Short mmCIF file of all heavy atoms in Angstrom, two decimals:
data_model
loop_
_atom_site.label_atom_id
_atom_site.label_comp_id
_atom_site.label_asym_id
_atom_site.label_seq_id
_atom_site.Cartn_x
_atom_site.Cartn_y
_atom_site.Cartn_z
N ALA A 76 -6.15 -11.44 -12.27
CA ALA A 76 -6.52 -11.65 -10.94
C ALA A 76 -6.79 -10.27 -10.22
O ALA A 76 -6.13 -9.33 -10.58
CB ALA A 76 -5.33 -12.33 -10.16
N VAL A 77 -7.78 -10.27 -9.43
CA VAL A 77 -8.17 -9.01 -8.72
C VAL A 77 -7.80 -9.13 -7.28
O VAL A 77 -8.14 -10.17 -6.58
CB VAL A 77 -9.67 -8.72 -8.89
CG1 VAL A 77 -10.10 -7.57 -8.03
CG2 VAL A 77 -10.05 -8.61 -10.29
N THR A 78 -7.12 -8.22 -6.73
CA THR A 78 -6.63 -8.31 -5.30
C THR A 78 -6.90 -6.95 -4.65
O THR A 78 -6.96 -5.83 -5.29
CB THR A 78 -5.13 -8.56 -5.19
OG1 THR A 78 -4.35 -7.44 -5.65
CG2 THR A 78 -4.83 -9.84 -5.96
N PHE A 79 -7.07 -7.04 -3.30
CA PHE A 79 -7.30 -5.80 -2.49
C PHE A 79 -6.38 -5.83 -1.25
O PHE A 79 -6.16 -6.92 -0.69
CB PHE A 79 -8.78 -5.79 -2.04
CG PHE A 79 -9.75 -5.57 -3.06
CD1 PHE A 79 -10.27 -6.71 -3.73
CD2 PHE A 79 -10.27 -4.36 -3.39
CE1 PHE A 79 -11.25 -6.57 -4.68
CE2 PHE A 79 -11.23 -4.21 -4.40
CZ PHE A 79 -11.64 -5.32 -5.07
N ASN A 80 -5.84 -4.68 -0.97
CA ASN A 80 -5.06 -4.54 0.30
C ASN A 80 -5.96 -3.90 1.33
O ASN A 80 -6.84 -3.06 1.00
CB ASN A 80 -3.82 -3.65 0.09
CG ASN A 80 -2.79 -4.36 -0.79
OD1 ASN A 80 -2.95 -5.49 -1.28
ND2 ASN A 80 -1.73 -3.62 -1.09
N ALA A 81 -5.77 -4.22 2.66
CA ALA A 81 -6.55 -3.55 3.70
C ALA A 81 -5.65 -3.41 4.93
O ALA A 81 -5.09 -4.37 5.44
CB ALA A 81 -7.72 -4.45 4.03
N ALA A 82 -5.54 -2.18 5.37
CA ALA A 82 -4.82 -1.83 6.54
C ALA A 82 -5.47 -0.71 7.37
O ALA A 82 -5.25 -0.59 8.58
CB ALA A 82 -3.40 -1.44 6.19
N TRP A 83 -6.30 0.09 6.78
CA TRP A 83 -6.88 1.24 7.39
C TRP A 83 -8.11 0.92 8.09
O TRP A 83 -8.28 0.76 9.27
CB TRP A 83 -7.17 2.36 6.38
CG TRP A 83 -5.93 2.87 5.74
CD1 TRP A 83 -4.82 3.37 6.34
CD2 TRP A 83 -5.67 3.01 4.37
NE1 TRP A 83 -3.91 3.79 5.42
CE2 TRP A 83 -4.43 3.58 4.23
CE3 TRP A 83 -6.45 2.69 3.19
CZ2 TRP A 83 -3.86 3.92 2.98
CZ3 TRP A 83 -5.90 2.97 1.94
CH2 TRP A 83 -4.55 3.57 1.84
N ASN A 84 -9.25 0.72 7.34
CA ASN A 84 -10.54 0.37 7.86
C ASN A 84 -11.36 -0.35 6.84
O ASN A 84 -10.79 -0.70 5.75
CB ASN A 84 -11.37 1.68 8.20
CG ASN A 84 -11.40 2.66 7.11
OD1 ASN A 84 -11.77 2.37 5.98
ND2 ASN A 84 -10.88 3.87 7.36
N ASP A 85 -12.63 -0.72 7.05
CA ASP A 85 -13.35 -1.58 6.16
C ASP A 85 -14.38 -0.79 5.33
O ASP A 85 -15.31 -1.29 4.81
CB ASP A 85 -14.04 -2.67 6.92
CG ASP A 85 -15.09 -2.15 7.91
OD1 ASP A 85 -15.06 -0.97 8.27
OD2 ASP A 85 -16.01 -2.95 8.33
N ALA A 86 -14.19 0.48 5.22
CA ALA A 86 -15.10 1.36 4.43
C ALA A 86 -15.11 0.83 2.93
O ALA A 86 -14.10 0.60 2.37
CB ALA A 86 -14.61 2.84 4.43
N GLY A 87 -16.26 0.66 2.53
CA GLY A 87 -16.51 0.18 1.10
C GLY A 87 -16.43 -1.34 0.93
O GLY A 87 -16.75 -1.84 -0.18
N LEU A 88 -16.13 -2.07 1.96
CA LEU A 88 -16.00 -3.53 1.80
C LEU A 88 -17.27 -4.23 1.35
O LEU A 88 -17.34 -5.00 0.49
CB LEU A 88 -15.50 -4.23 3.13
CG LEU A 88 -15.47 -5.69 3.06
CD1 LEU A 88 -14.29 -6.11 2.13
CD2 LEU A 88 -15.29 -6.37 4.41
N ASP A 89 -18.47 -3.81 1.96
CA ASP A 89 -19.66 -4.45 1.66
C ASP A 89 -20.09 -4.31 0.15
O ASP A 89 -20.52 -5.24 -0.53
CB ASP A 89 -20.84 -3.98 2.45
CG ASP A 89 -20.74 -4.39 3.99
OD1 ASP A 89 -19.99 -5.39 4.21
OD2 ASP A 89 -21.39 -3.75 4.83
N SER A 90 -19.81 -3.12 -0.39
CA SER A 90 -20.00 -2.84 -1.79
C SER A 90 -19.10 -3.64 -2.63
O SER A 90 -19.53 -4.23 -3.66
CB SER A 90 -19.83 -1.39 -2.08
OG SER A 90 -20.02 -1.13 -3.54
#
Side-chain angles (χ1 to χ4, degrees):
V77 175
T78 69
F79 295 87
N80 293 357
W83 296 307
N84 52 54
D85 64 340
L88 177 69
D89 288 342
S90 176

